[in-house]
Amino acid sequence: MVIVPGEGPMNADIMLVGQNPGREEVKQGRPFVGRSGKYLDKVLKDNNIDRSKLYIISVVKEATPGNRRPTEEEIRRWMPYLLEEIRRVKPKTVVLMGEVARRTPRLEGIDYIQTYHPAAAMRFPKVRKAFEEVFQKLGR
């Protein structure tokens, strides 16, 4: 089992939360560096958002077989680690990307924004528009 930790400054104002690492993330030991990550990087750049100033993490910290959606048990097992990381970083805003991330319990004093996962935004034009609008607002 390879654990892919969160990445970014411990005082980041914005935290992005995804689902779980894929093959490329496991290979590099970094979140969002595969196809979805490349698309996310483009959206960030298009909106003048510096990735190096964001804290990026996934709910589940290990790849799932066949990159399937994490099971309830996997989500339950990893959620306390995500919550601890949110408490340590203390971001002003947490962007929950996708269904699994949307299940993150809300901590007081933090704004939460729900959107689609970048992988869905890459595939579906309506989803892409909504996803990109979230980052347009963040970029302002």
Side-chain angles (χ1 to χ4, degrees):
M1 168 174 66
V2 175
I3 304 297
V4 178
E7 174 180 272
M10 292 306 290
N11 63 346
D13 286 338
I14 299 172
M15 178 182 277
L16 306 182
V17 179
Q19 178 174 295
N20 63 292
R23 182 179 7 186
E24 195 59 35
E25 288 76 14
V26 167
K27 195 164 135 185
Q28 293 187 38
R30 298 181 56 218
F32 281 99
V33 291
R35 281 188 51 225
S36 294
K38 287 180 184 11
Y39 170 67
L40 176 63
D41 286 347
K42 178 194 177 312
V43 172
L44 294 173
K45 184 177 180 192
D46 289 350
N47 292 288
N48 298 312
I49 300 170
D50 184 349
R51 179 181 169 128
S52 71
K53 293 184 178 173
L54 306 175
Y55 197 90
I56 304 174
I57 192 168
S58 295
V59 174
V60 173
K61 313 286 186 266
E62 61 187 334
T64 55
N67 201 30
R68 65 159 164 70
R69 178 189 170 120
T71 64
E72 292 298 316
E73 195 273 319
E74 288 165 333
I75 295 167
R76 266 194 311 279
R77 182 177 55 211
W78 286 104
M79 192 62 74
Y81 295 97
L82 171 62
L83 291 173
E84 182 56 33
E85 214 145 2
I86 294 171
R87 285 184 189 102
R88 276 193 277 133
V89 174
K90 296 182 186 115
K92 292 178 183 164
T93 304
V94 174
V95 181
L96 304 170
M97 301 185 299
E99 282 183 50
V100 171
R102 273 186 235 145
R103 297 170 59 185
T104 303
R106 308 311 192 253
L107 300 177
E108 204 169 307
I110 298 173
D111 291 325
Y112 289 84
I113 299 171
Q114 296 181 23
T115 190
Y116 296 95
H117 192 279
M122 287 170 37
R123 286 194 293 266
F124 305 107
K126 284 183 183 178
V127 170
R128 182 178 313 124
K129 185 176 188 302
F131 179 81
E132 290 179 0
E133 284 172 357
V134 165
F135 288 91
Q136 287 168 5
K137 288 176 188 169
L138 281 175
R140 286 190 210 121

